[in-house]
Amino acid sequence: MFKQFTENISGHQAYLLFSLAIFLVFFIVVSIVLFRIRKPHVDHMSQLPLSDNQIDSTNS
Amino acid sequence: MQPEKFYYDNKIVRNFGIATVIWGIIGMTVGLIAAIQLFHPGANMNNQYTTFGRIRPLHTNAVIFAFVGNAIFMGVYYSLQRLLKARMFSDALSKIHFWGWQLIIVSAVITLPLGLTTSHEYAELEWPIDIAITIIWVVFGINMFGTIFKRRERHLYVAIWFYIATFVTIAVLHIVNSFELPVSAFKSYMVYAGVQDALVQWWYGHNAVAFFLTTPYLGMMYYFLPKMANRPVYSYKLSILHFWALIFIYIWAGPHHLLYTTLPGWAQSLGVAFSIMLIAPSWGGMINGLLTLRGAWDKVRDDVILKFMVVALTAYGMATFEGPMLSLKQVNSIAHFSDWIIAHVHVGALGWNGFLTFGILYWLIPRIYKTELFSKKLASFHFWIGTLGIIFYAVPMYWAGFTQSLMLKEFTPEGMLKYPNFLETTLQILPMHIMRSVGGAMYLLGVIVMAYNLTKTALQGNLLADEPAQAMPLEPLHAVAREASWHRRLERKPIQLMIAALVVILIGTFIELMPTLTISSNIPTIASVKPYTSLELQGRDLYIREGCSNCHSQTVRPFRSETERYGEYSKAGEFVYDHPFLWGSKRTGPDLAREGSKYGNAWHYNHLMDPRLMSPGSIMPGYDWLLTQPLDTTTTKAKINAMRTLGVPYPVGYENQANADLDKQAKAIAADLAKDHIKVKSNKEVIAIIAYLQRLGMDIKANKTANK
């Protein structure tokens, strides 16, 4: 079935490959960023909606 | 350091909440009236101001910008203050934003039924209102960034990123799709023409869905769902991935609205490829939302608010899976122009936007009124009748879409169209249209019950207009150790974050729009295509005023079923003088791209007076006011001048003889009608619209005749 889709856009494979490349590059960059984020920071951020009336004494 | 005391502004949140409920009821009621007209055309009360072509844009504008718009501001003003531990930047700006937005909606309610429209879907409002929208949007932006700057929490939670991306992208979309040349106080022509106009419009149209109906709601989901479930979001890292991937990919997908049209093939392919990729971030977000409820699923059984949220997320998941599927060319060839698309958008609008809004209202109103919800039973009733309403709406529309599309494509063994008369396929789906309006009415009933329930809740409580809170002030940055991760640094720099989001959305925008807008070889010209005569131009503006393009497309796709039915498939060069393009997005009636000379003038006259005279059973409304209203020819000169400014090659000085030309052509049509014993003065509007309809597609036909 997939062959049918690619054949139907024949002559435009370059655009498919180009868009796939952009997607992959973007995805990889964001993934690297994500792996570099430290856990305490993630915990702090995800607690933000739940702590809007608590006073955070270490407000940095 | 001592904690600082301050107050959250709940009153502005409440005001936007009231507005969303009131406009929601109005917008959905208008939708219901429009839906009834699709099986009972007399439901327009024989009145031009309540006829489908004019109130369908009113319905879409009311639910998108009034119902959803006010809900966004309600959610943003509530969550932004709390996530930043600061009151809104300026109470005055909040008020200007609120009242300005309501005034814009009121102006839409007045101008759209009057037929003052640009015809660009979801951007129908004319140029003075476009300017007002820009100003109020900037007010919102200043208020939001002002709040961000005086915050007491260093890092911006992911919900706020979604709000920032919404602000900056809607600004870009609105400005680029509003390049219009004013002709008079409430009439303008789009600067782009034909294919280019279509591309800009659907780049806008698609991303209005992305950045008005999706990103702000995802921001609200990331704030309110953890509050409701009382647990943090399943994965904060996934939410970051969700954010960047979603805003980056969404902006490319617009051309999937123009598959098989004359848009350059490479742009169509690019649009399809990115549409498929969109599944990844969309489902990442949905899964992140649903998994936030991990360990809390027992609560979903009792808590009606969580029920609304679960259905909202499920509808989001269904709509964002279906969207990429619809962008596959094979699927699109069946679904496009059909009721399938109506089903698709309503799963999103009723399920995702509607139910998320209701969930937040039920959660938020009792909190700011310091009381309990008046009736959980009524809320539960709302949930069930709303859910059933969505099903009763969507299922018949899917059914109608498949049925009609397949009928239109069916050939007999002899190779003839099995249903050569378009109307046959329409009559087949009328029962589905009736059921759809029942579903819509059920959904609307639920909203009315909610309005009652929330009003009672508010009456039994007291609005805590200024909610006291306290937080530590931010330490100066030099006192904070330099953060290792640049992304973490970005999270405390709102302007840089906005610029990063802007760059991300502009990449796709430039790669897709620029070649089509600048390289002329993408739109091959056709020598026989000539500008409209002055009468045809006036007729075209009546076609726009009456909203004909809401039901009739003007683009023949290269399928045998369409070339057999309508004639030669459309070419890019045919539309070079079309400011704006009028391809439409739905075929409630047949395509009109090749309508010229298909029928006589008398047929059109009688058909416009009462469509059922010529096509028994037709669901098209009668346009008898066109028969009596005189054509306003005082605008002709300004229109010709404006068109010439936009590059349409009217000879210099033509504007001075345009009305004489117009009279001559009108008299010829009136004389032709007189032969068929139709007595009509040549200055009536119907003459202009007949002239325009008879012109459609004739440039190509003329070319053929000349070459023979």
Side-chain angles (χ1 to χ4, degrees), chain B residues 614-669:
Chain B
M614 311 314 287
S615 315
S618 167
I619 55 168
M620 177 169 147
Y623 286 87
D624 45 8
W625 54 88
L626 294 176
L627 277 51
T628 50
Q629 286 174 182
L631 181 68
D632 177 12
T633 52
T634 58
T635 53
T636 312
K637 194 173 172 181
K639 285 179 176 178
I640 296 286
N641 282 334
M643 281 294 182
R644 191 189 298 112
T645 310
L646 296 176
V648 180
Y650 288 113
V652 178
Y654 179 72
E655 66 274 14
N656 296 319
Q657 66 177 81
N659 266 335
D661 262 20
L662 183 150
D663 273 340
K664 202 173 142 197
Q665 194 184 359
K667 287 209 168 89
I669 293 172

Side-chain angles (χ1 to χ4, degrees), chain B residues 225-432:
Chain B
L225 193 62
K227 298 286 277 188
M228 293 165 179
N230 201 25
R231 59 199 63 228
V233 62
Y234 170 65
S235 163
Y236 189 75
K237 284 188 176 185
L238 181 55
S239 73
I240 297 175
L241 179 65
H242 180 198
F243 173 78
W244 287 112
L246 193 88
I247 67 165
F248 177 71
I249 297 176
Y250 236 122
I251 206 87
W252 297 72
H256 70 211
H257 291 257
L258 297 168
L259 298 182
Y260 292 110
T261 68
T262 61
L263 183 73
W266 63 266
Q268 296 187 29
S269 298
L270 214 49
V272 172
F274 275 89
S275 302
I276 307 295
M277 294 172 193
L278 256 181
I279 296 180
S282 302
W283 274 51
M286 176 198 65
I287 289 166
N288 210 1
L290 287 176
L291 286 184
T292 298
L293 296 171
R294 73 207 177 283
W297 282 94
D298 55 310
K299 283 193 195 170
V300 177
R301 196 163 38 185
D302 314 312
D303 187 348
V304 69
I305 293 172
L306 288 180
K307 283 184 189 159
F308 274 111
M309 298 303 276
V310 168
V311 171
L313 279 163
T314 312
Y316 176 64
M318 289 194 291
T320 54
F321 178 74
E322 190 186 17
M325 292 302 112
L326 285 168
S327 75
L328 293 173
K329 280 189 141 186
Q330 280 73 10
V331 182
N332 192 274
S333 70
I334 299 171
H336 195 48
F337 293 130
S338 83
D339 283 332
W340 186 346
I341 305 302
I342 317 299
H344 169 63
V345 297
H346 281 85
V347 168
L350 302 175
W352 165 241
N353 295 113
F355 269 36
L356 202 112
T357 305
F358 306 148
I360 292 172
L361 279 166
Y362 281 124
W363 184 86
L364 192 151
I365 295 295
R367 270 177 181 72
I368 61 177
Y369 275 92
K370 294 285 149 205
T371 181
E372 293 287 309
L373 187 62
F374 169 68
S375 165
K376 282 188 176 155
K377 263 194 178 159
L378 284 180
S380 192
F381 170 78
H382 177 197
F383 171 77
W384 284 108
I385 195 134
T387 307
L388 286 173
I390 296 173
I391 295 168
F392 274 87
Y393 188 106
V395 173
M397 283 287 99
Y398 283 116
W399 205 295
F402 293 134
T403 306
Q404 190 172 28
S405 266
L406 295 180
M407 283 177 86
L408 288 170
K409 283 177 182 291
E410 195 168 348
F411 282 92
T412 63
E414 292 77 29
M416 309 293 280
L417 281 171
K418 186 157 184 200
Y419 304 98
N421 185 359
F422 190 95
L423 185 58
E424 268 184 280
T425 67
T426 308
L427 296 176
Q428 197 67 35
I429 59 168
L430 288 192
M432 272 76 98

Side-chain angles (χ1 to χ4, degrees), chain B residues 670-690:
Chain B
D672 182 64
L673 288 171
K675 280 188 215 156
D676 288 295
H677 310 292
I678 296 169
K679 278 188 190 159
V680 59
K681 282 193 184 148
S682 63
N683 70 343
K684 300 300 180 200
E685 289 182 335
V686 69
I687 302 284
I689 208 160
I690 290 176

